Amino acid sequence: MKPNKKIKAGDKPVPEADFDDTIAQNRALPLVDVAAVPRPPLGYRATDPEVRNRRLRKVAAEHRAEALDALAEAAGRDMPNELGKYAPDPERAAAMAERLARAGGLVTVAQALLAYAREMDQIALSDAILLLEQVHRELSHAAEHEPLLAEHYPALRTLFEARREAIAEGRARAAREAEVAPAEA
């Protein structure tokens, strides 16, 4: 379409490049080498979440900055002289402030890496399924003329049978839920 040409009611729209297509942009990005991602330190064992929840004190995420400020404040004071002989050592407050800041930075970087990794995985899986759907479609056509050809693709058949079953299960569950929903209303 010429730039100065007027668009008429019956004209078909001309597709334009989408420069904000993050999926296409991200699809072209290199994957981070798994070997380059650091592992937790030797000796780390995850604590059961229920145990952590029961034993650890909680601070709302929006109070994190205030906790860091309070630690810095405590680290700069002569607490034993000001608060008495049972006051904590200000050096502990400084060490805790450092550790809390580093842990927060680690969480931020790890969350960004996890978001990237999840999206790269979703894009790769979607691209793989698109290709496999094409293979499945073509195999279905070719198998009409050469039925033995299907035997050469057992993993493909297993995948599409599992997908078919999952779809049927989802539809049945949705139908059951639709029947229950009006009864509850």
Side-chain angles (χ1 to χ4, degrees), residues 139-185:
L139 177 61
S140 296
H141 293 138
E144 289 177 13
H145 304 288
E146 295 182 48
L148 294 177
L149 190 57
E151 293 177 15
H152 296 286
Y153 294 87
L156 185 72
R157 288 193 336 247
T158 300
L159 170 66
F160 280 88
E161 183 56 37
R163 288 183 85 204
R164 225 180 339 270
E165 288 174 10
I167 290 168
E169 235 176 74
R171 286 181 177 161
R173 184 174 44 254
R176 285 191 305 271
E177 289 171 0
E179 290 175 3
V180 171
E184 292 177 350

mmCIF file of all heavy atoms in Angstrom, residues 139-185:
data_model
loop_
_atom_site.group_PDB
_atom_site.id
_atom_site.type_symbol
_atom_site.label_atom_id
_atom_site.label_comp_id
_atom_site.label_asym_id
_atom_site.label_seq_id
_atom_site.Cartn_x
_atom_site.Cartn_y
_atom_site.Cartn_z
ATOM 1 N N LEU A 139 1.949 -36.543 9.659
ATOM 2 C CA LEU A 139 1.961 -37.988 9.875
ATOM 3 C C LEU A 139 0.555 -38.556 9.693
ATOM 4 O O LEU A 139 0.384 -39.626 9.096
ATOM 5 C CB LEU A 139 2.501 -38.324 11.267
ATOM 6 C CG LEU A 139 2.504 -39.807 11.640
ATOM 7 C CD1 LEU A 139 3.396 -40.610 10.681
ATOM 8 C CD2 LEU A 139 2.957 -39.984 13.077
ATOM 9 N N SER A 140 -0.446 -37.841 10.200
ATOM 10 C CA SER A 140 -1.829 -38.297 10.034
ATOM 11 C C SER A 140 -2.183 -38.424 8.563
ATOM 12 O O SER A 140 -2.823 -39.397 8.154
ATOM 13 C CB SER A 140 -2.801 -37.326 10.723
ATOM 14 O OG SER A 140 -2.569 -37.314 12.096
ATOM 15 N N HIS A 141 -1.758 -37.453 7.760
ATOM 16 C CA HIS A 141 -2.041 -37.518 6.323
ATOM 17 C C HIS A 141 -1.263 -38.650 5.659
ATOM 18 O O HIS A 141 -1.816 -39.424 4.873
ATOM 19 C CB HIS A 141 -1.698 -36.188 5.642
ATOM 20 C CG HIS A 141 -2.584 -35.071 6.057
ATOM 21 N ND1 HIS A 141 -2.110 -33.826 6.325
ATOM 22 C CD2 HIS A 141 -3.931 -35.011 6.273
ATOM 23 C CE1 HIS A 141 -3.103 -33.042 6.680
ATOM 24 N NE2 HIS A 141 -4.226 -33.732 6.662
ATOM 25 N N ALA A 142 0.011 -38.738 5.971
ATOM 26 C CA ALA A 142 0.852 -39.757 5.333
ATOM 27 C C ALA A 142 0.433 -41.169 5.760
ATOM 28 O O ALA A 142 0.487 -42.105 4.955
ATOM 29 C CB ALA A 142 2.322 -39.517 5.685
ATOM 30 N N ALA A 143 -0.002 -41.310 7.026
ATOM 31 C CA ALA A 143 -0.385 -42.639 7.533
ATOM 32 C C ALA A 143 -1.649 -43.169 6.858
ATOM 33 O O ALA A 143 -1.886 -44.377 6.867
ATOM 34 C CB ALA A 143 -0.567 -42.592 9.040
ATOM 35 N N GLU A 144 -2.437 -42.286 6.268
ATOM 36 C CA GLU A 144 -3.609 -42.743 5.515
ATOM 37 C C GLU A 144 -3.166 -43.603 4.333
ATOM 38 O O GLU A 144 -3.860 -44.545 3.955
ATOM 39 C CB GLU A 144 -4.430 -41.551 5.018
ATOM 40 C CG GLU A 144 -5.165 -40.826 6.115
ATOM 41 C CD GLU A 144 -5.913 -39.603 5.592
ATOM 42 O OE1 GLU A 144 -6.072 -39.461 4.357
ATOM 43 O OE2 GLU A 144 -6.342 -38.794 6.436
ATOM 44 N N HIS A 145 -2.019 -43.284 3.761
ATOM 45 C CA HIS A 145 -1.500 -44.019 2.603
ATOM 46 C C HIS A 145 -0.501 -45.098 3.014
ATOM 47 O O HIS A 145 -0.356 -46.105 2.328
ATOM 48 C CB HIS A 145 -0.845 -43.046 1.603
ATOM 49 C CG HIS A 145 -1.787 -41.965 1.178
ATOM 50 N ND1 HIS A 145 -2.851 -42.196 0.333
ATOM 51 C CD2 HIS A 145 -1.841 -40.653 1.493
ATOM 52 C CE1 HIS A 145 -3.517 -41.075 0.147
ATOM 53 N NE2 HIS A 145 -2.913 -40.108 0.846
ATOM 54 N N GLU A 146 0.222 -44.857 4.110
ATOM 55 C CA GLU A 146 1.197 -45.825 4.614
ATOM 56 C C GLU A 146 0.983 -46.016 6.115
ATOM 57 O O GLU A 146 1.678 -45.416 6.932
ATOM 58 C CB GLU A 146 2.626 -45.322 4.363
ATOM 59 C CG GLU A 146 2.999 -45.214 2.894
ATOM 60 C CD GLU A 146 4.435 -44.752 2.731
ATOM 61 O OE1 GLU A 146 5.320 -45.314 3.398
ATOM 62 O OE2 GLU A 146 4.642 -43.803 1.953
ATOM 63 N N PRO A 147 0.031 -46.877 6.511
ATOM 64 C CA PRO A 147 -0.317 -47.038 7.926
ATOM 65 C C PRO A 147 0.865 -47.446 8.817
ATOM 66 O O PRO A 147 0.902 -47.074 9.987
ATOM 67 C CB PRO A 147 -1.385 -48.128 7.911
ATOM 68 C CG PRO A 147 -1.932 -48.115 6.529
ATOM 69 C CD PRO A 147 -0.833 -47.659 5.638
ATOM 70 N N LEU A 148 1.827 -48.179 8.285
ATOM 71 C CA LEU A 148 2.965 -48.622 9.101
ATOM 72 C C LEU A 148 3.893 -47.467 9.493
ATOM 73 O O LEU A 148 4.689 -47.597 10.416
ATOM 74 C CB LEU A 148 3.754 -49.707 8.370
ATOM 75 C CG LEU A 148 3.002 -51.026 8.150
ATOM 76 C CD1 LEU A 148 3.862 -52.000 7.360
ATOM 77 C CD2 LEU A 148 2.589 -51.624 9.478
ATOM 78 N N LEU A 149 3.770 -46.369 8.808
ATOM 79 C CA LEU A 149 4.610 -45.201 9.093
ATOM 80 C C LEU A 149 4.381 -44.702 10.529
ATOM 81 O O LEU A 149 5.319 -44.260 11.202
ATOM 82 C CB LEU A 149 4.286 -44.083 8.093
ATOM 83 C CG LEU A 149 5.195 -42.872 8.060
ATOM 84 C CD1 LEU A 149 6.640 -43.287 7.790
ATOM 85 C CD2 LEU A 149 4.719 -41.907 7.005
ATOM 86 N N ALA A 150 3.168 -44.808 11.027
ATOM 87 C CA ALA A 150 2.842 -44.337 12.378
ATOM 88 C C ALA A 150 3.645 -45.066 13.444
ATOM 89 O O ALA A 150 3.923 -44.515 14.506
ATOM 90 C CB ALA A 150 1.347 -44.494 12.642
ATOM 91 N N GLU A 151 4.045 -46.294 13.177
ATOM 92 C CA GLU A 151 4.822 -47.065 14.150
ATOM 93 C C GLU A 151 6.209 -46.479 14.393
ATOM 94 O O GLU A 151 6.853 -46.797 15.385
ATOM 95 C CB GLU A 151 4.934 -48.520 13.698
ATOM 96 C CG GLU A 151 3.604 -49.254 13.709
ATOM 97 C CD GLU A 151 3.699 -50.681 13.194
ATOM 98 O OE1 GLU A 151 4.840 -51.206 13.092
ATOM 99 O OE2 GLU A 151 2.650 -51.251 12.887
ATOM 100 N N HIS A 152 6.671 -45.641 13.489
ATOM 101 C CA HIS A 152 7.999 -45.026 13.627
ATOM 102 C C HIS A 152 7.972 -43.793 14.534
ATOM 103 O O HIS A 152 9.024 -43.195 14.793
ATOM 104 C CB HIS A 152 8.566 -44.643 12.263
ATOM 105 C CG HIS A 152 8.811 -45.823 11.381
ATOM 106 N ND1 HIS A 152 9.855 -46.693 11.582
ATOM 107 C CD2 HIS A 152 8.117 -46.283 10.307
ATOM 108 C CE1 HIS A 152 9.808 -47.638 10.660
ATOM 109 N NE2 HIS A 152 8.760 -47.414 9.874
ATOM 110 N N TYR A 153 6.794 -43.416 15.022
ATOM 111 C CA TYR A 153 6.640 -42.220 15.844
ATOM 112 C C TYR A 153 5.887 -42.534 17.148
ATOM 113 O O TYR A 153 4.882 -41.902 17.452
ATOM 114 C CB TYR A 153 5.885 -41.133 15.057
ATOM 115 C CG TYR A 153 6.638 -40.616 13.867
ATOM 116 C CD1 TYR A 153 6.550 -41.246 12.632
ATOM 117 C CD2 TYR A 153 7.442 -39.487 13.980
ATOM 118 C CE1 TYR A 153 7.246 -40.767 11.531
ATOM 119 C CE2 TYR A 153 8.141 -39.002 12.879
ATOM 120 C CZ TYR A 153 8.033 -39.650 11.669
ATOM 121 O OH TYR A 153 8.722 -39.157 10.581
ATOM 122 N N PRO A 154 6.365 -43.500 17.944
ATOM 123 C CA PRO A 154 5.625 -43.859 19.162
ATOM 124 C C PRO A 154 5.585 -42.730 20.207
ATOM 125 O O PRO A 154 4.576 -42.545 20.879
ATOM 126 C CB PRO A 154 6.370 -45.081 19.701
ATOM 127 C CG PRO A 154 7.745 -44.978 19.125
ATOM 128 C CD PRO A 154 7.569 -44.310 17.789
ATOM 129 N N ALA A 155 6.665 -41.976 20.341
ATOM 130 C CA ALA A 155 6.678 -40.889 21.329
ATOM 131 C C ALA A 155 5.693 -39.795 20.921
ATOM 132 O O ALA A 155 4.999 -39.220 21.777
ATOM 133 C CB ALA A 155 8.089 -40.319 21.472
ATOM 134 N N LEU A 156 5.611 -39.521 19.638
ATOM 135 C CA LEU A 156 4.669 -38.519 19.129
ATOM 136 C C LEU A 156 3.235 -38.966 19.403
ATOM 137 O O LEU A 156 2.409 -38.178 19.869
ATOM 138 C CB LEU A 156 4.891 -38.300 17.629
ATOM 139 C CG LEU A 156 4.061 -37.191 16.991
ATOM 140 C CD1 LEU A 156 4.592 -35.834 17.448
ATOM 141 C CD2 LEU A 156 4.104 -37.291 15.478
ATOM 142 N N ARG A 157 2.949 -40.227 19.148
ATOM 143 C CA ARG A 157 1.603 -40.758 19.400
ATOM 144 C C ARG A 157 1.286 -40.677 20.896
ATOM 145 O O ARG A 157 0.183 -40.291 21.276
ATOM 146 C CB ARG A 157 1.486 -42.201 18.904
ATOM 147 C CG ARG A 157 1.463 -42.308 17.386
ATOM 148 C CD ARG A 157 1.030 -43.673 16.868
ATOM 149 N NE ARG A 157 1.225 -44.781 17.771
ATOM 150 C CZ ARG A 157 2.084 -45.781 17.573
ATOM 151 N NH1 ARG A 157 2.820 -45.826 16.489
ATOM 152 N NH2 ARG A 157 2.187 -46.767 18.451
ATOM 153 N N THR A 158 2.246 -41.020 21.751
ATOM 154 C CA THR A 158 2.037 -40.967 23.201
ATOM 155 C C THR A 158 1.730 -39.534 23.646
ATOM 156 O O THR A 158 0.809 -39.301 24.434
ATOM 157 C CB THR A 158 3.279 -41.498 23.947
ATOM 158 O OG1 THR A 158 3.491 -42.856 23.548
ATOM 159 C CG2 THR A 158 3.128 -41.414 25.445
ATOM 160 N N LEU A 159 2.495 -38.574 23.144
ATOM 161 C CA LEU A 159 2.288 -37.173 23.494
ATOM 162 C C LEU A 159 0.891 -36.719 23.108
ATOM 163 O O LEU A 159 0.166 -36.137 23.918
ATOM 164 C CB LEU A 159 3.339 -36.285 22.814
ATOM 165 C CG LEU A 159 3.093 -34.771 22.904
ATOM 166 C CD1 LEU A 159 3.196 -34.297 24.356
ATOM 167 C CD2 LEU A 159 4.058 -34.022 22.012
ATOM 168 N N PHE A 160 0.479 -36.973 21.885
ATOM 169 C CA PHE A 160 -0.816 -36.465 21.430
ATOM 170 C C PHE A 160 -1.984 -37.221 22.045
ATOM 171 O O PHE A 160 -3.051 -36.630 22.252
ATOM 172 C CB PHE A 160 -0.866 -36.404 19.896
ATOM 173 C CG PHE A 160 -0.172 -35.177 19.389
ATOM 174 C CD1 PHE A 160 1.193 -35.195 19.142
ATOM 175 C CD2 PHE A 160 -0.844 -33.981 19.247
ATOM 176 C CE1 PHE A 160 1.858 -34.052 18.730
ATOM 177 C CE2 PHE A 160 -0.197 -32.834 18.839
ATOM 178 C CZ PHE A 160 1.169 -32.859 18.578
ATOM 179 N N GLU A 161 -1.784 -38.462 22.406
ATOM 180 C CA GLU A 161 -2.831 -39.195 23.132
ATOM 181 C C GLU A 161 -2.975 -38.597 24.534
ATOM 182 O O GLU A 161 -4.091 -38.395 25.018
ATOM 183 C CB GLU A 161 -2.500 -40.688 23.209
ATOM 184 C CG GLU A 161 -3.568 -41.511 23.882
ATOM 185 C CD GLU A 161 -4.961 -41.395 23.256
ATOM 186 O OE1 GLU A 161 -5.075 -41.296 22.011
ATOM 187 O OE2 GLU A 161 -5.943 -41.399 24.020
ATOM 188 N N ALA A 162 -1.867 -38.297 25.193
ATOM 189 C CA ALA A 162 -1.908 -37.694 26.533
ATOM 190 C C ALA A 162 -2.576 -36.322 26.475
ATOM 191 O O ALA A 162 -3.376 -35.977 27.360
ATOM 192 C CB ALA A 162 -0.494 -37.581 27.105
ATOM 193 N N ARG A 163 -2.276 -35.552 25.463
ATOM 194 C CA ARG A 163 -2.901 -34.233 25.306
ATOM 195 C C ARG A 163 -4.401 -34.373 25.067
ATOM 196 O O ARG A 163 -5.198 -33.620 25.627
ATOM 197 C CB ARG A 163 -2.265 -33.458 24.146
ATOM 198 C CG ARG A 163 -0.863 -32.965 24.457
ATOM 199 C CD ARG A 163 -0.294 -32.155 23.330
ATOM 200 N NE ARG A 163 -0.744 -30.769 23.469
ATOM 201 C CZ ARG A 163 -0.822 -29.909 22.470
ATOM 202 N NH1 ARG A 163 -0.512 -30.269 21.256
ATOM 203 N NH2 ARG A 163 -1.228 -28.677 22.677
ATOM 204 N N ARG A 164 -4.775 -35.338 24.240
ATOM 205 C CA ARG A 164 -6.192 -35.580 23.954
ATOM 206 C C ARG A 164 -6.936 -35.944 25.249
ATOM 207 O O ARG A 164 -8.021 -35.429 25.527
ATOM 208 C CB ARG A 164 -6.327 -36.709 22.925
ATOM 209 C CG ARG A 164 -7.294 -36.444 21.835
ATOM 210 C CD ARG A 164 -7.447 -37.565 20.807
ATOM 211 N NE ARG A 164 -6.379 -38.538 20.665
ATOM 212 C CZ ARG A 164 -5.343 -38.425 19.839
ATOM 213 N NH1 ARG A 164 -5.217 -37.355 19.084
ATOM 214 N NH2 ARG A 164 -4.436 -39.368 19.756
ATOM 215 N N GLU A 165 -6.335 -36.826 26.047
ATOM 216 C CA GLU A 165 -6.946 -37.244 27.318
ATOM 217 C C GLU A 165 -7.058 -36.061 28.283
ATOM 218 O O GLU A 165 -8.072 -35.912 28.971
ATOM 219 C CB GLU A 165 -6.136 -38.371 27.955
ATOM 220 C CG GLU A 165 -6.277 -39.695 27.239
ATOM 221 C CD GLU A 165 -5.341 -40.767 27.802
ATOM 222 O OE1 GLU A 165 -4.720 -40.542 28.862
ATOM 223 O OE2 GLU A 165 -5.228 -41.830 27.150
ATOM 224 N N ALA A 166 -6.029 -35.236 28.348
ATOM 225 C CA ALA A 166 -6.053 -34.076 29.248
ATOM 226 C C ALA A 166 -7.145 -33.087 28.824
ATOM 227 O O ALA A 166 -7.846 -32.524 29.682
ATOM 228 C CB ALA A 166 -4.691 -33.383 29.269
ATOM 229 N N ILE A 167 -7.310 -32.888 27.536
ATOM 230 C CA ILE A 167 -8.353 -31.992 27.037
ATOM 231 C C ILE A 167 -9.733 -32.551 27.379
ATOM 232 O O ILE A 167 -10.614 -31.830 27.857
ATOM 233 C CB ILE A 167 -8.198 -31.758 25.517
ATOM 234 C CG1 ILE A 167 -6.950 -30.900 25.260
ATOM 235 C CG2 ILE A 167 -9.445 -31.098 24.929
ATOM 236 C CD1 ILE A 167 -6.527 -30.826 23.806
ATOM 237 N N ALA A 168 -9.913 -33.845 27.158
ATOM 238 C CA ALA A 168 -11.203 -34.478 27.471
ATOM 239 C C ALA A 168 -11.495 -34.384 28.966
ATOM 240 O O ALA A 168 -12.625 -34.089 29.377
ATOM 241 C CB ALA A 168 -11.202 -35.934 27.010
ATOM 242 N N GLU A 169 -10.472 -34.615 29.791
ATOM 243 C CA GLU A 169 -10.625 -34.509 31.243
ATOM 244 C C GLU A 169 -11.000 -33.092 31.650
ATOM 245 O O GLU A 169 -11.886 -32.879 32.486
ATOM 246 C CB GLU A 169 -9.293 -34.872 31.908
ATOM 247 C CG GLU A 169 -9.376 -35.966 32.922
ATOM 248 C CD GLU A 169 -7.986 -36.308 33.437
ATOM 249 O OE1 GLU A 169 -7.425 -35.514 34.223
ATOM 250 O OE2 GLU A 169 -7.476 -37.372 33.045
ATOM 251 N N GLY A 170 -10.338 -32.109 31.055
ATOM 252 C CA GLY A 170 -10.624 -30.703 31.356
ATOM 253 C C GLY A 170 -12.037 -30.319 30.966
ATOM 254 O O GLY A 170 -12.728 -29.612 31.696
ATOM 255 N N ARG A 171 -12.486 -30.785 29.821
ATOM 256 C CA ARG A 171 -13.862 -30.490 29.384
ATOM 257 C C ARG A 171 -14.874 -31.140 30.314
ATOM 258 O O ARG A 171 -15.896 -30.536 30.656
ATOM 259 C CB ARG A 171 -14.065 -30.960 27.948
ATOM 260 C CG ARG A 171 -13.369 -30.069 26.948
ATOM 261 C CD ARG A 171 -13.607 -30.536 25.540
ATOM 262 N NE ARG A 171 -12.975 -29.623 24.600
ATOM 263 C CZ ARG A 171 -12.691 -29.921 23.360
ATOM 264 N NH1 ARG A 171 -12.988 -31.124 22.870
ATOM 265 N NH2 ARG A 171 -12.115 -29.041 22.577
ATOM 266 N N ALA A 172 -14.616 -32.371 30.712
ATOM 267 C CA ALA A 172 -15.527 -33.068 31.626
ATOM 268 C C ALA A 172 -15.580 -32.349 32.966
ATOM 269 O O ALA A 172 -16.661 -32.164 33.545
ATOM 270 C CB ALA A 172 -15.084 -34.522 31.801
ATOM 271 N N ARG A 173 -14.424 -31.907 33.481
ATOM 272 C CA ARG A 173 -14.370 -31.189 34.756
ATOM 273 C C ARG A 173 -15.123 -29.865 34.641
ATOM 274 O O ARG A 173 -15.895 -29.491 35.536
ATOM 275 C CB ARG A 173 -12.921 -30.950 35.177
ATOM 276 C CG ARG A 173 -12.774 -30.311 36.528
ATOM 277 C CD ARG A 173 -11.331 -30.200 37.026
ATOM 278 N NE ARG A 173 -10.379 -29.738 36.026
ATOM 279 C CZ ARG A 173 -9.482 -30.518 35.411
ATOM 280 N NH1 ARG A 173 -9.400 -31.802 35.696
ATOM 281 N NH2 ARG A 173 -8.657 -30.019 34.514
ATOM 282 N N ALA A 174 -14.940 -29.155 33.529
ATOM 283 C CA ALA A 174 -15.637 -27.882 33.326
ATOM 284 C C ALA A 174 -17.149 -28.101 33.264
ATOM 285 O O ALA A 174 -17.917 -27.299 33.810
ATOM 286 C CB ALA A 174 -15.136 -27.207 32.051
ATOM 287 N N ALA A 175 -17.571 -29.185 32.623
ATOM 288 C CA ALA A 175 -18.999 -29.484 32.540
ATOM 289 C C ALA A 175 -19.562 -29.786 33.932
ATOM 290 O O ALA A 175 -20.652 -29.314 34.279
ATOM 291 C CB ALA A 175 -19.243 -30.660 31.596
ATOM 292 N N ARG A 176 -18.804 -30.557 34.735
ATOM 293 C CA ARG A 176 -19.250 -30.865 36.101
ATOM 294 C C ARG A 176 -19.344 -29.590 36.940
ATOM 295 O O ARG A 176 -20.298 -29.391 37.677
ATOM 296 C CB ARG A 176 -18.302 -31.855 36.776
ATOM 297 C CG ARG A 176 -18.437 -33.276 36.285
ATOM 298 C CD ARG A 176 -17.662 -34.265 37.165
ATOM 299 N NE ARG A 176 -16.255 -33.945 37.326
ATOM 300 C CZ ARG A 176 -15.277 -34.351 36.515
ATOM 301 N NH1 ARG A 176 -15.541 -35.107 35.479
ATOM 302 N NH2 ARG A 176 -14.021 -33.993 36.750
ATOM 303 N N GLU A 177 -18.345 -28.724 36.819
ATOM 304 C CA GLU A 177 -18.339 -27.469 37.578
ATOM 305 C C GLU A 177 -19.468 -26.551 37.133
ATOM 306 O O GLU A 177 -20.047 -25.835 37.952
ATOM 307 C CB GLU A 177 -16.987 -26.774 37.448
ATOM 308 C CG GLU A 177 -15.877 -27.486 38.187
ATOM 309 C CD GLU A 177 -14.477 -26.932 37.885
ATOM 310 O OE1 GLU A 177 -14.357 -25.974 37.079
ATOM 311 O OE2 GLU A 177 -13.504 -27.473 38.450
ATOM 312 N N ALA A 178 -19.780 -26.576 35.847
ATOM 313 C CA ALA A 178 -20.888 -25.744 35.336
ATOM 314 C C ALA A 178 -22.223 -26.240 35.883
ATOM 315 O O ALA A 178 -23.135 -25.440 36.127
ATOM 316 C CB ALA A 178 -20.899 -25.781 33.805
ATOM 317 N N GLU A 179 -22.342 -27.543 36.094
ATOM 318 C CA GLU A 179 -23.568 -28.099 36.669
ATOM 319 C C GLU A 179 -23.689 -27.727 38.145
ATOM 320 O O GLU A 179 -24.774 -27.470 38.632
ATOM 321 C CB GLU A 179 -23.592 -29.624 36.533
ATOM 322 C CG GLU A 179 -23.777 -30.108 35.119
ATOM 323 C CD GLU A 179 -23.665 -31.624 34.997
ATOM 324 O OE1 GLU A 179 -23.489 -32.293 36.050
ATOM 325 O OE2 GLU A 179 -23.721 -32.136 33.869
ATOM 326 N N VAL A 180 -22.571 -27.707 38.861
ATOM 327 C CA VAL A 180 -22.565 -27.416 40.291
ATOM 328 C C VAL A 180 -22.782 -25.913 40.542
ATOM 329 O O VAL A 180 -23.470 -25.551 41.483
ATOM 330 C CB VAL A 180 -21.240 -27.895 40.946
ATOM 331 C CG1 VAL A 180 -21.130 -27.410 42.372
ATOM 332 C CG2 VAL A 180 -21.152 -29.394 40.869
ATOM 333 N N ALA A 181 -22.217 -25.056 39.704
ATOM 334 C CA ALA A 181 -22.267 -23.609 39.906
ATOM 335 C C ALA A 181 -23.706 -23.080 39.994
ATOM 336 O O ALA A 181 -24.015 -22.319 40.919
ATOM 337 C CB ALA A 181 -21.491 -22.891 38.812
ATOM 338 N N PRO A 182 -24.629 -23.434 39.088
ATOM 339 C CA PRO A 182 -26.003 -22.927 39.229
ATOM 340 C C PRO A 182 -26.685 -23.433 40.497
ATOM 341 O O PRO A 182 -27.488 -22.734 41.116
ATOM 342 C CB PRO A 182 -26.724 -23.462 38.004
ATOM 343 C CG PRO A 182 -25.663 -23.778 37.017
ATOM 344 C CD PRO A 182 -24.470 -24.140 37.839
ATOM 345 N N ALA A 183 -26.349 -24.643 40.929
ATOM 346 C CA ALA A 183 -26.960 -25.198 42.133
ATOM 347 C C ALA A 183 -26.516 -24.437 43.377
ATOM 348 O O ALA A 183 -27.264 -24.311 44.342
ATOM 349 C CB ALA A 183 -26.607 -26.679 42.268
ATOM 350 N N GLU A 184 -25.288 -23.908 43.375
ATOM 351 C CA GLU A 184 -24.778 -23.150 44.520
ATOM 352 C C GLU A 184 -25.302 -21.743 44.566
ATOM 353 O O GLU A 184 -25.319 -21.109 45.614
ATOM 354 C CB GLU A 184 -23.243 -23.127 44.489
ATOM 355 C CG GLU A 184 -22.605 -24.473 44.740
ATOM 356 C CD GLU A 184 -21.090 -24.419 44.617
ATOM 357 O OE1 GLU A 184 -20.550 -23.399 44.156
ATOM 358 O OE2 GLU A 184 -20.448 -25.419 44.981
ATOM 359 N N ALA A 185 -25.718 -21.201 43.428
ATOM 360 C CA ALA A 185 -26.145 -19.800 43.355
ATOM 361 C C ALA A 185 -27.489 -19.551 43.945
ATOM 362 O O ALA A 185 -28.118 -20.016 44.692
ATOM 363 C CB ALA A 185 -26.198 -19.352 41.912
#
